[in-house]
Amino acid sequence: MSEPRKILVVDDEPQITRVLRQSLKAHRYDVRTAADAESALDTFRDWQPDLIITDLQMPGVDGIDFCREVRKLASTPIIVLSVRGDERTKVNALDVGADDYVTKPFGIDELMARIRAALRRSPADEGGLTMLEDHDFVINTAKREVSVKGRPVHLTPTEFDLF
């Protein structure tokens, strides 16, 4: 049995994070939460989630800048979940790196469908191919690791994406 997919929820509203945590766990996702962008970036770096759900309005760094920072590190799917529903805000979020945008209040079934769709498109799930080997050269796409002659090659998330 495969490991559950990891989802990071970033929202400063405890009620929203509680509902999302419970719903996502009921759908067998591994979930962590953060109340602000700074702690979310720390969790992102340490835990490497498969998907991020983030609000735009947070204390300190807002969700737009958070998306921008994540995009500097990786191509992890990002779904924005925000009360702000105007077209300009949606376009801005999508332009800086969000993959999808859901307006609050939201239906949990629709959000789950959007999560499944985003995860289907994510690199770790492309056709089930996870290992590429050519003599001394090995690429593990699921773990995002590269090794040459058995020695790991350190690549940043962006370098791995380009590679």
Side-chain angles (χ1 to χ4, degrees), residues 132-139:
L132 301 169
E133 295 184 48
D134 185 21
H135 302 288
D136 295 329
F137 191 71
V138 179
I139 303 170

Side-chain angles (χ1 to χ4, degrees), residues 13-50:
E13 295 179 47
Q15 183 178 358
I16 295 288
T17 55
R18 186 172 42 256
V19 166
L20 287 174
R21 184 185 310 111
Q22 290 171 348
S23 297
L24 292 166
K25 285 187 175 208
H27 285 85
R28 293 185 170 79
Y29 292 107
D30 188 2
V31 182
R32 293 200 184 163
T33 62
D36 58 65
E38 291 88 358
S39 60
L41 284 170
D42 290 340
T43 301
F44 177 80
R45 288 182 188 106
D46 294 340
W47 192 50
Q48 299 178 348
D50 298 304

